């Protein structure tokens, strides 16, 4: 049975904690729902977001894709809204809305005039607690997500290759399962799978409300008490513990073959440290390392060594995503130039990495990157919705408000020695997956 609203007379009191830093104020309701208010009074607009600390990596085994499936189904009917009425109401009031699912979180948001905030809370609280699903909804929306997988994954050789690489990197952790799900499990998703997931995880004590824009903190708190504060906490919410990845003791390699591959390439991923609460320095150094090695086609180490000094690569790059609840990856990619084999491209990449480990970080490049990060932080302040998303992503991935606010200074304090130390730790071939993505194995394997 779906959870029912508590009587209005049992609404929680101001049993909250409040902390303010800069233009960010936080509260916690009695039912455990966290609130983050980000003030920006330059325009009479507000971004209203509800983030749940649950993503595809929290799904039970055998029902991959249920988190994303539920995200779709939340736009169906509730006790008070007809199917599709939520988005239609947002649009009728001049706003826009959407939702998203990742490994570590699911989020729902609306961007609308500030005086419509209470309407957004009314509807969002309604679907947190009173979703109504029919067998027809399940059948219809299951076909929608299957078609989405067909369009985004099955029709893309690169997307399928990335799935295989990630599955090879994570043998036991749920990060090795695609967010959208494996097709054979998506086809079997049932009503009860979805309701079980909804009733357990779509609870105020598993949610973070983020309101950013032309609002006052006490106003947001009062509205949240009225609309979210009356929803009961989920007493059976489990601790957020995922299957652990066993120690990776050997390099892993694969060749992904697909006749639709437009351009052959070699890519390697390494297990890497994520940003952790109170310990973000390693992640900050890895952010710099990715930029130093592959952030620019013109000034990066791989760009200079593989494209300008030697005609080895049409493209080379490096990437790192540090906001992750559990261990993430650091990635390198090289697209060989005409007449260069994948083996030659991989060998040249490894030589370039070895030379970098000997030569270290160019001081001028480091200062350029430091200035770029500083400028990016300043420019980011003009995007209040982006700031809201920054906090939501962080808080659902194990970080705190203080961690988010400390991050710019931590980035600025990274040294060349920090970067090289991080490189020493991350470039462990025993924790890597190297993949060749090809049209035909016979073309590349002699």
């Amino acid at each position: 049975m779906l959870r029912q609203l508590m009587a209005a007379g049992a609404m929680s009191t101001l049993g909250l904690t409040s902390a303010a830093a800069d233009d960010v104020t936080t509260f916690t309701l009695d039912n455990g729902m966290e609130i983050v208010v980000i003030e920006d009074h330059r325009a009479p607009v507000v971004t209203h977001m509800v983030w749940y600390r649950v993503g595809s990596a929290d799904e039970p085994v055998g029902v991959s894709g249920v988190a994303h499936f539920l995200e779709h189904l939340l736009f169906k009917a509730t006790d008070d809204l007809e199917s599709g009425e939520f988005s239609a109401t947002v649009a009728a009031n001049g706003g826009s809305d959407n939702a998203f699912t990742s490994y570590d979180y699911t989020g729902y948001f609306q961007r609308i005039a500030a005086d419509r905030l209470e309407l957004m809370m009314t509807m969002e609280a309604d679907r947190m607690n009173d979703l109504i699903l029919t067998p027809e909804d399940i059948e219809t929306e299951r076909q929608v997500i299957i078609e989405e997988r067909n369009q985004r994954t099955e029709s893309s050789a690169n997307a399928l290759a990335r799935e295989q690489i990630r599955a090879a990197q994570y043998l036991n952790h749920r990060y090795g399962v695609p967010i959208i799900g494996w097709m054979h499990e998506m086809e079997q998703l049932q009503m009860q799978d979805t309701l079980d997931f909804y009733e357990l995880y779509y609870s105020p004590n598993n949610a973070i409300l983020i309101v950013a824009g032309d609002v006052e903190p006490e106003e947001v708190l009062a509205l949240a008490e009225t609309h979210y504060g009356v929803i009961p906490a989920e007493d059976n919410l489990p601790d957020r513990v995922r299957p652990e990845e066993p120690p990776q003791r050997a390099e892993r390699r694969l060749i992904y073959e697909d006749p639709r591959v437009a351009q052959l390439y070699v890519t390697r991923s390494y297990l890497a440290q994520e940003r952790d609460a109170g310990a973000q320095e390693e992640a900050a150094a890895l952010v710099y390392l990715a930029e130093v090695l592959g952030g620019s086609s013109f000034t990066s180490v791989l760009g200079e060594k593989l494209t300008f000094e030697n005609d080895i690569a049409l493209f080379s790059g490096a990437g790192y995503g540090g906001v992750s609840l559990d261990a993430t990856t650091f990635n390198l990619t090289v697209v060989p130039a005409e007449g260069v084999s994948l083996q030659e491209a991989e060998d040249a990449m490894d030589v370039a990495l070895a030379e970098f480990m000997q030569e270290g970080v160019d001081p001028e490049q480091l200062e350029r990157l430091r200035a770029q990060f500083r400028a990016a932080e300043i420019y980011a302040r003009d995007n209040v919705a982006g700031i809201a998303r920054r906090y939501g992503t962080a808080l659902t991935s194990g970080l705190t408000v203080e961690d988010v606010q400390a991050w710019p200074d931590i980035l600025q304090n990274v040294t060349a020695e920090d970067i090289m130390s991080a490189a020493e730790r991350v470039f462990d071939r025993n924790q890597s997956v190297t993949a060749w993505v090809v049209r035909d194995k016979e073309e590349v394997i002699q």
Side-chain angles (χ1 to χ4, degrees):
M1 178 183 295
L2 297 181
R3 300 184 304 276
Q4 299 298 312
L5 285 173
M6 298 171 64
M11 183 171 60
S12 62
T13 61
L14 293 188
L16 53 88
T17 61
S18 175
D22 298 327
D23 292 326
V24 178
T25 306
T26 64
F27 306 99
T28 301
L29 301 182
D30 280 353
N31 60 10
M33 188 172 190
E34 295 181 24
I35 303 171
V36 178
V37 183
I38 304 165
E39 294 180 69
D40 187 323
H41 300 287
R42 290 175 293 179
V45 177
V46 66
T47 295
H48 172 265
M49 312 182 88
V50 172
W51 297 68
Y52 294 94
R53 287 187 177 91
V54 64
S56 66
D58 301 291
E59 296 166 340
V61 173
V63 290
S64 65
V66 71
H68 175 250
F69 189 32
L70 180 57
E71 176 214 309
H72 279 241
L73 291 167
L74 233 69
F75 292 87
K76 301 298 183 180
T78 68
D79 282 358
D80 299 324
L81 297 170
E82 298 294 330
S83 181
E85 186 178 353
F86 189 110
S87 293
T89 302
V90 175
N93 282 271
S96 59
D97 74 317
N98 214 325
F100 44 83
T101 304
S102 187
Y103 291 107
D104 296 321
Y105 53 78
T106 310
Y108 302 83
F109 71 91
Q110 304 86 41
R111 181 168 170 80
I112 202 163
D115 62 0
R116 303 296 198 275
L117 176 59
E118 183 168 16
L119 175 60
M120 298 302 102
M121 284 200 191
T122 301
M123 295 194 298
E124 197 67 79
D126 185 36
R127 67 177 176 180
M128 178 186 287
N129 195 71
D130 288 326
L131 183 65
I132 297 174
L133 298 178
T134 67
E136 293 74 22
D137 290 333
I138 299 298
E139 293 300 322
T140 300
E141 211 60 37
R142 188 195 298 117
Q143 292 307 310
V144 170
I145 62 169
I146 287 173
E147 182 57 26
E148 183 177 341
R149 180 178 170 90
N150 282 331
Q151 291 181 359
R152 296 186 178 183
T153 306
E154 301 294 339
S155 64
S156 169
N158 287 333
L160 289 171
R162 287 193 298 270
E163 273 193 350
Q164 295 302 307
I165 294 165
R166 197 166 182 96
Q169 183 78 79
Y170 295 98
L171 297 184
N172 195 48
H173 195 285
R174 297 289 289 180
Y175 285 168
V177 178
I179 294 169
I180 198 168
W182 298 118
M183 180 69 86
H184 68 284
E185 293 184 347
M186 295 168 65
E187 292 171 339
Q188 301 301 317
L189 289 173
Q190 301 298 321
M191 169 89 77
Q192 198 58 50
D193 299 325
T194 311
L195 291 179
D196 289 347
F197 202 77
Y198 172 71
E199 293 187 8
L200 183 60
Y201 291 111
Y202 277 54
S203 313
N205 49 322
N206 198 42
I208 302 167
L209 169 66
I210 298 182
V211 179
D214 190 20
V215 293
E216 298 294 337
E218 294 301 327
E219 169 200 4
V220 173
L221 175 60
L223 292 174
E225 284 283 355
T226 298
H227 299 287
Y228 294 111
V230 294
I231 303 174
E234 173 54 63
D235 293 334
N236 295 317
L237 185 68
D239 292 336
R240 203 172 189 194
V241 178
R242 277 88 169 268
E244 291 188 19
E245 191 68 13
Q248 184 175 338
R249 305 185 190 280
E251 177 181 3
R252 298 166 189 163
R253 300 186 65 89
L254 62 92
I255 298 176
Y256 181 78
E257 180 184 33
D258 192 315
R260 299 170 299 175
V261 170
Q263 178 66 60
L264 284 65
Y265 62 92
V266 58
T267 184
R268 183 181 298 148
S269 65
Y270 300 84
L271 286 177
Q273 176 68 43
E274 75 281 5
R275 282 171 63 182
D276 285 332
Q280 302 182 89
E281 289 76 12
E282 177 89 353
L286 290 172
V287 169
Y288 275 89
L289 180 63
E291 291 297 316
V292 167
L293 289 178
S296 166
S297 299
F298 302 100
T299 61
S300 67
V301 170
L302 293 180
E304 289 184 353
K305 292 181 179 295
L306 302 186
T307 300
F308 293 102
E309 294 179 10
N310 301 284
D311 191 15
I312 297 292
L314 292 175
F315 167 82
S316 58
Y320 168 72
V323 182
S324 176
L325 188 62
D326 300 312
T328 184
T329 58
F330 188 99
N331 305 284
L332 301 169
T333 300
V334 175
V335 178
E338 182 87 21
V340 177
S341 70
L342 286 177
Q343 187 63 65
E344 290 169 332
E346 181 181 345
D347 291 344
M349 179 181 75
D350 287 332
V351 168
L353 290 179
E355 290 175 350
F356 167 72
M357 296 305 294
Q358 290 293 323
E359 297 166 358
V361 179
D362 178 355
E364 291 185 2
Q365 184 185 20
L366 177 56
E367 290 310 310
R368 283 198 305 270
L369 290 174
R370 207 186 304 280
Q372 289 173 14
F373 288 137
R374 188 183 306 116
E377 180 63 27
I378 294 170
Y379 294 143
R381 295 179 180 275
D382 287 334
N383 183 355
V384 66
I387 294 174
R389 189 163 185 135
R390 178 191 299 180
Y391 277 92
T393 302
L395 295 177
T396 50
S397 301
L399 299 173
T400 67
V401 169
E402 292 73 22
D403 291 320
V404 176
Q405 294 173 342
W407 179 248
D409 286 340
I410 291 174
L411 274 179
Q412 289 300 307
N413 290 328
V414 170
T415 66
E417 291 74 18
D418 295 332
I419 298 169
M420 298 310 297
S421 294
E424 288 279 1
R425 285 185 287 272
V426 79
F427 291 142
D428 179 353
R429 291 289 285 269
N430 285 335
Q431 297 198 56
S432 73
V433 176
T434 303
W436 289 5
V437 180
V438 304
R439 284 185 292 271
D440 184 349
K441 291 180 183 178
E442 298 301 321
E443 294 180 3
V444 297
I445 301 177
Q446 303 301 325

